[in-house]
Amino acid sequence: MLLERTTETSLVDAALTAAGRGRSSLILVTGPLGIGRSALLRSLPALADGHDDIRVLRANAAPMEQDFAFGVVRQLFESLLSGSSEDTRARWMDAHASFARHVFADDSASPGADQAAAATEAVLHGLLSLLANVSADGRLLVLVDDLQWSDVPSLRWLTYLAKRLHGLRAVVVCTLRDGDPRTHHTLVREVREAATQSLRPASLSLAATRELVRAHFGEPGDDTFVHACHETAAGNPLFLMSILLGMEHAGLRPLAEHADRARSLRPSQLRKRLAGILRTQAQPVRDLAAAIAVLGDHVDPDNVARLACLDPVGYTAALRTLAALGLVAAPGEPRFVHRVVRDAVESTLTMVRREQLHDEAAALLYASGRPAEQVAAQLMAVVTRHQPWTVDVLRSAADTALRRGAPDAAVRYLRRALLDSAAQGVDRARLLVELGTAERVFDPSACERHIAQAIGLLPEARDRAAAVLRIAPTPLGPAPSGVVDLLRQAAEGLGPAAALTGTDRDLALRLEARLRHCAYENPYELADATERLRRLGSAPPLDTGGERELTIALLLAATFGAGLPAADVVRRAEHVLDREPATSARVQSTLPLVVITMVAADSVEALDSWLAVEYRARERHTTPTDALVHIERALIHIARGRLDQAREQSETALRMTEADRHGLGTVATLAHAMVALETRDPALARRVVRRAERIRGEELTVTAMLRLLQAAGEVAAGDLTGALDSLRSCGRRLDAAGWQNPVLFPWRPWAIGVHRRLGDLRAARSLAEEEHARAERWGAPVGLGRALRLRGRLEEGGRGTALLRQAVTVLRGSAHQLELARALLALAERLGGGVESEALAREAATLATACGAPWLVERAAVGGGPPLSAVPAPQAVLTRTERRVAAFACEGLTNQEIAETMGVSSRAVEKHLTHSYRKLGIAGRRELIALISGT
């Protein structure tokens, strides 16, 4: 397609009209690489359609044919004679034997200087006469593409022609690419000076880009995708078509979700073409391009000129050439227009030359005081160390990377520093500790290995203890045995905290905290930790980081074992929160465990203000701290019964921890499992089970949650006996570990429901009484209110009603609104109608709607709540994409079929459907079809 070239075409058409009146013209079409000069030239023969008096002569010059004398002229006249008979062609040859044999004979294909020398005035005049004879019968449209690559004899004739156009009734159109070295050839300049008009096609507009996208893909592109293509190609047709072809080759459609791919695409064919063009440039231009490529995003005029070894005049001239070629973003700015240009430049460099340039760039940036990471980026591209300051710069760059939340970059710098460093003993140990510190975020095994190597080189117990504490604690799973051994060795080397002071005492307390955290699955260690917390008193010392870390570990032990009342645990935990801010550093400590403690104690209000500062500070969504923020938010929403919000946060955390199967990935999976249990969504439960099975299976938190999810699935499938077995297995594992908390792993409430459905009310009551006793001992309102509701539903008459009223009263003091809704609904159903029952059901429906529990809303409607017809219309609440997915689902397409139709992943389809179900307050596809069919 030729878009937005109407002005240029009209000017050529007007020139042809003038040629009919005897006024010939020479039109030059100029512009940078890829702007569409050749495409415009190819469209011009269409102007001759319907005009028998217009003859078109065409020629395409090429770099490889510059030694072929009169090659371009031969193409022009062969196109003129191509439609003639052999007899006519022979008469032409005989009539112009003085020059025709020279131009058209077979041996003329042999290149050499003799042919160029033979291009005499007589030959040039004879060719012109031949052209004049043809134009006597009509108008001529002479088209020459890439004039700069024409052979010298042809250029000489074109120059001759340009000065003698008067009376020929011809329009000559030549294209000339900016920035090519041959544009400075004397004969090319003469043709340029003789031009009567010069056309310069403009860059494509956004509207033209949108039209090209539609024509290429056969469907309109999303605005986001079109904008991405337009901005990336900068309106250059060649760059734009390369991007569109690359997207098509990758099987991607012009959707908004593929916009980032369009921006990052680096088409290989475009790279090869650009590399070929760069190789034809003068050495200063190639040197400047190489310097820009090596310096990358941190280029500035002074440094790039020095690296290219160019003086100000040479630098300006070379940059002007790159701008003329359309390879830099703006005139005077040494920055490539697209990443593929940098790829093309790099492909023209040898390995030796590339390393030399990176080494020189590192020295140049270091000498000019540029940031360490900029210097390090150059050092990382050098195979052999050449500079004495290499290791120091790499360590400094690693520190900067860690502070900006890029541990993977820090690890790359430090591993290279370790490779280049000749240091031994303590100096090497410190480098190993720095490396382990960076690795702990995403490679715990490597962290443990390097810290262990460092400990063997550290003579002081204090340094060994500090090094071991760089290993991040596992959030909820037992630490590897190697880590436990390192912690014990460091603690033994340092001695008991009671005998130490200052920094040594703080280190000893932190070591004790880590060791107690590692043993939380041991019932005896759990009981001992609770007793240690009691001995510290109701206001344990919290002045130092070690004291606070130890208190947090002891609080978690007391929470799991329910060894202290929830109120006492909360009081101590709030004192910790008052002294320990929620900074990003907490992800590498035991501080996040306090969130679990507060959730289990049904006291999340204090967490809101504590986490508020951190929530506002986190803007990116890539670092472990960001994932931790989403996990903490999910847990708080679960504690409030807000299922939609909890699910959204836990899904985000799962995506961010996809590759983390031991640390935050475990906690994110557990948070999502808690959402699955509360929502009673079998499909969600199955997905969580699949993910949990990929995690290390020996952890009690994982195995217990797996048992609960399996039991929920078995209940949904009607296998009540199997569900009971799974629940009992979960209970045995938890009891064996001493985990007595009724809030964190609610296996008894599920088992009570299964016994009730099986008709075994005696077993159900026994479990309910046991659950009530544990809930009273722990004292959290959510656990106590739930236990009272379960007992009330099992008891008949006034006693059952009294228990349900008591459950409602207790849960009004709880943050868990969903549990309150359940209790309100249970009481409304027990009352069996009347004003109070209807009021309770309406309140339950309101809470259930806010919590995202449509099944409770439906039950409440039966008991006097709002009508189910209040479900919102799909077109009012669903996005455009969600409406499309829903429409395909109503047509009976499977998720995979919808994905193939829309050009997205089946996971994306599943996500859109899930969001639609939640917004509409329905359970699944069947209700969706019924709802949309009725709207």
Side-chain angles (χ1 to χ4, degrees):
M1 296 181 66
L2 190 69
L3 298 176
E4 299 184 337
R5 298 294 183 256
T6 305
T7 300
E8 291 82 358
T9 305
S10 298
L11 287 171
V12 175
D13 192 28
L16 279 171
T17 301
R21 297 192 296 270
R23 191 168 69 247
S24 300
S25 57
L26 170 61
I27 300 174
L28 207 59
V29 182
T30 64
L33 169 72
I35 200 61
R37 302 178 314 279
S38 299
L40 175 61
L41 204 69
R42 286 194 296 270
S43 73
L44 295 180
L47 297 175
D49 294 346
H51 299 279
D52 295 335
D53 66 325
I54 298 179
R55 301 289 299 273
V56 180
L57 285 68
R58 292 182 245 185
N60 299 305
M64 300 298 292
E65 298 179 1
Q66 290 180 23
D67 292 333
F68 184 12
F70 288 104
V72 170
V73 173
R74 180 168 182 164
Q75 289 184 59
L76 290 173
F77 282 91
E78 283 191 340
S79 66
L80 177 65
L81 301 177
S82 61
S84 304
S85 65
E86 288 296 327
D87 292 340
T88 304
R89 190 180 178 90
R91 284 197 299 272
W92 275 102
M93 295 286 285
D94 292 339
H96 303 281
S98 63
F99 61 88
R101 282 192 300 273
H102 182 76
V103 176
F104 295 106
D106 291 339
D107 60 356
S108 68
S110 303
D114 294 340
Q115 286 185 339
T120 60
E121 180 74 18
V123 172
L124 298 177
H125 180 71
L127 289 170
L128 183 61
S129 299
L130 175 58
L131 203 63
N133 289 339
V134 176
S135 67
D137 299 328
R139 292 172 286 175
L140 291 178
L141 178 60
V142 182
L143 307 176
V144 180
D145 197 13
D146 288 319
L147 176 70
Q148 72 278 359
W149 290 336
S150 299
D151 58 276
V152 172
S154 294
L155 276 174
R156 186 173 288 115
W157 181 78
L158 288 169
T159 305
Y160 190 85
L161 171 65
K163 297 174 181 178
R164 294 164 176 81
L165 281 174
H166 181 68
L168 279 185
R169 301 176 66 195
V171 175
V172 180
V173 183
C174 301
T175 67
L176 184 65
R177 192 182 70 198
D178 294 347
D180 192 279
R182 288 204 84 215
T183 57
H184 303 296
H185 193 284
T186 303
L187 294 174
V188 175
R189 283 205 305 269
E190 289 185 23
V191 174
R192 184 195 289 268
E193 292 167 359
T196 56
Q197 288 188 73
S198 183
L199 306 180
R200 190 174 184 83
S203 299
L204 295 179
S205 68
L206 178 62
T209 300
R210 181 177 287 106
E211 179 62 20
L212 279 173
V213 169
R214 185 201 61 76
H216 189 83
F217 290 99
E219 62 176 311
D222 288 349
D223 286 343
T224 304
F225 179 86
V226 173
H227 277 274
C229 292
H230 184 69
E231 293 166 4
T232 305
N236 186 293
L238 173 64
F239 281 63
L240 176 59
M241 290 307 299
S242 297
I243 292 170
L244 299 183
L245 287 168
M247 296 294 289
E248 183 184 36
H249 181 72
L252 301 176
R253 295 172 59 202
L255 304 176
E257 60 197 75
H258 298 149
D260 288 340
R261 180 68 182 276
R263 289 189 181 94
S264 62
L265 200 65
R266 290 139 71 169
S268 60
Q269 292 301 319
L270 179 58
R271 183 191 69 235
K272 292 175 183 177
R273 182 170 178 181
L274 294 176
I277 291 169
L278 286 164
R279 290 189 179 96
T280 66
Q281 296 299 313
Q283 190 63 48
V285 177
R286 297 203 302 272
D287 289 342
L288 179 59
I292 296 173
V294 166
L295 288 172
D297 296 331
H298 307 294
V299 64
D300 66 75
D302 291 338
N303 283 334
V304 76
R306 290 195 191 101
L307 185 59
C309 299
L310 295 174
D311 59 24
V313 175
Y315 167 76
T316 301
L319 186 59
R320 188 184 301 118
T321 299
L322 290 176
L325 286 168
L327 300 183
V328 293
E333 184 179 351
R335 183 171 58 85
F336 290 137
V337 68
H338 194 279
R339 182 64 177 83
V340 73
V341 181
R342 182 177 177 182
D343 294 344
V345 174
E346 290 174 345
S347 70
T348 65
L349 301 174
T350 64
M351 292 291 293
V352 174
R353 178 57 177 159
R354 191 180 305 173
E355 176 156 340
Q356 178 186 1
L357 283 171
H358 281 295
D359 186 59
E360 291 174 359
L364 189 64
L365 294 174
Y366 180 79
S368 60
R370 300 305 292 268
E373 279 204 87
Q374 293 183 21
V375 182
Q378 302 298 330
L379 294 174
M380 295 294 289
V382 179
V383 176
T384 307
R385 172 187 174 185
H386 300 283
Q387 310 294 349
W389 36 260
T390 296
V391 174
D392 292 336
V393 168
L394 289 169
R395 292 174 75 172
S396 178
D399 180 66
T400 303
L402 278 177
R403 283 188 280 107
R404 68 178 174 86
D408 51 342
V411 167
R412 290 197 300 271
Y413 297 145
L414 290 169
R415 286 177 178 172
R416 179 57 189 270
L418 195 64
L419 184 65
D420 290 345
S421 175
Q424 299 296 325
V426 174
D427 290 337
R428 188 169 187 82
R430 288 173 179 161
L431 187 55
L432 285 165
V433 170
E434 291 175 15
L435 177 56
T437 302
E439 289 171 329
R440 66 185 177 179
V441 175
F442 60 90
D443 194 349
S445 298
C447 169
E448 177 189 343
R449 183 172 65 254
H450 288 127
I451 293 296
Q453 293 172 5
I455 287 174
L457 300 174
L458 292 170
E460 297 292 332
R462 175 188 299 175
D463 294 335
R464 292 195 297 272
V468 171
L469 289 169
R470 294 293 184 97
I471 301 175
T474 52
L476 283 178
S481 58
V483 174
V484 176
D485 290 341
L486 290 175
L487 289 168
R488 286 201 182 106
Q489 292 169 13
E492 291 170 0
L494 201 60
L500 301 171
T501 58
T503 302
D504 289 348
R505 176 179 177 275
D506 201 56
L507 289 171
L509 291 173
R510 294 184 64 197
L511 288 170
E512 181 187 354
R514 299 292 178 88
L515 285 168
R516 290 193 179 277
H517 177 59
C518 292
Y520 77 103
E521 290 188 11
N522 185 320
Y524 305 105
E525 292 287 347
L526 212 62
D528 185 68
T530 303
E531 185 58 32
R532 174 88 157 91
L533 183 61
R534 283 198 187 95
R535 291 199 302 270
L536 290 175
S538 59
L542 300 172
D543 295 329
T544 68
E547 290 171 342
R548 292 190 290 272
E549 189 165 346
L550 175 60
T551 300
I552 291 169
L554 298 177
L555 284 171
L556 185 68
T559 299
F560 280 155
L564 287 178
D568 292 348
V569 170
V570 167
R571 187 165 51 252
R572 291 173 171 85
E574 287 178 343
H575 290 161
V576 173
L577 297 180
D578 289 342
R579 291 167 174 79
E580 194 74 46
T583 64
S584 59
R586 72 185 188 282
V587 73
Q588 307 301 339
S589 71
T590 59
L591 187 57
L593 301 176
V594 76
V595 176
I596 298 175
T597 295
M598 299 294 275
V599 167
D602 195 11
S603 182
V604 294
E605 291 79 7
L607 292 175
D608 289 333
S609 58
W610 184 66
L611 293 171
V613 175
E614 178 68 11
Y615 290 174
R616 288 194 296 269
R618 307 308 299 177
E619 296 179 357
R620 293 178 296 111
H621 301 283
T622 55
T623 68
T625 306
D626 296 316
L628 177 61
V629 165
H630 289 290
I631 292 170
E632 290 167 339
R633 285 175 171 173
L635 292 174
I636 292 172
H637 286 310
I638 290 169
R640 289 195 164 106
R642 301 284 183 163
L643 302 185
D644 285 345
Q645 296 91 328
R647 183 167 185 165
E648 180 181 356
Q649 296 295 332
S650 64
E651 285 177 346
T652 303
L654 278 179
R655 288 194 298 271
M656 297 174 66
T657 59
E658 187 65 36
D660 185 351
R661 298 187 179 181
H662 305 298
L664 290 177
T666 302
V667 189
T669 302
L670 291 172
H672 210 47
M674 295 169 73
V675 174
L677 283 173
E678 290 284 6
T679 58
R680 289 163 170 75
D681 184 340
L684 178 58
R686 286 193 295 271
R687 290 199 303 273
V688 177
V689 168
R690 286 196 297 270
R691 163 134 181 172
E693 286 173 345
R694 299 199 305 266
I695 300 174
R696 190 169 50 201
E698 295 301 318
E699 300 174 1
L700 179 55
T701 50
V702 175
T703 55
M705 193 57 70
L706 273 174
R707 291 287 185 273
L708 283 174
L709 289 172
Q710 288 168 358
E714 288 160 348
V715 168
D719 183 9
L720 300 181
T721 303
L724 202 55
D725 289 340
S726 297
L727 291 167
R728 286 169 176 166
S729 174
C730 175
R732 285 193 296 270
R733 288 292 304 273
L734 293 171
D735 288 344
W739 290 16
Q740 305 293 320
N741 195 294
V743 176
L744 292 177
F745 294 93
W747 71 271
R748 285 186 185 82
W750 279 87
I752 292 167
V754 173
H755 278 301
R756 186 169 177 238
R757 290 178 63 177
L758 288 170
D760 189 354
L761 296 182
R762 181 177 179 182
R765 288 192 182 99
S766 176
L767 276 177
E769 289 172 0
E770 186 178 345
E771 177 77 359
H772 185 208
R774 295 195 177 194
E776 276 192 317
R777 186 167 67 249
W778 174 236
V782 63
L784 183 57
R786 179 195 293 153
L788 288 167
R789 175 177 59 83
L790 292 170
R791 286 191 63 196
R793 295 192 68 188
L794 292 171
E795 297 291 341
E796 299 294 339
R799 177 169 173 74
T801 304
L803 288 169
L804 290 173
R805 288 189 184 281
Q806 188 179 356
V808 169
T809 301
V810 170
L811 287 169
R812 289 197 185 280
S814 168
H816 206 301
Q817 293 183 323
L818 185 58
E819 277 298 339
L820 175 57
R822 290 185 177 120
L824 288 166
L825 185 54
L827 180 56
E829 291 171 341
R830 174 59 61 88
L831 293 176
V835 176
E836 183 184 7
S837 175
E838 291 175 1
L840 291 169
R842 280 194 295 272
E843 184 181 359
T846 301
L847 291 173
T849 301
C851 290
W855 63 93
L856 279 184
V857 177
E858 187 171 350
R859 277 180 55 195
V862 176
L868 293 177
S869 58
V871 175
Q875 59 268 29
V877 297
L878 301 185
T879 65
R880 186 182 71 171
T881 303
E882 288 168 351
R883 290 197 298 272
R884 287 185 65 198
V885 173
F888 285 130
C890 290
E891 293 174 7
L893 274 66
T894 65
N895 286 5
Q896 186 60 42
E897 289 170 341
I898 296 173
E900 293 172 357
T901 302
M902 297 183 65
V904 298
S905 66
S906 57
R907 182 177 179 182
V909 172
E910 184 179 8
K911 179 180 177 182
H912 286 309
L913 284 174
T914 301
H915 287 174
S916 300
Y917 299 156
R918 288 210 306 268
K919 288 180 179 180
L920 297 171
I922 57 178
R925 187 177 287 222
R926 181 180 301 174
E927 292 87 342
L928 178 67
I929 295 173
L931 180 61
I932 291 183
S933 301
T935 58

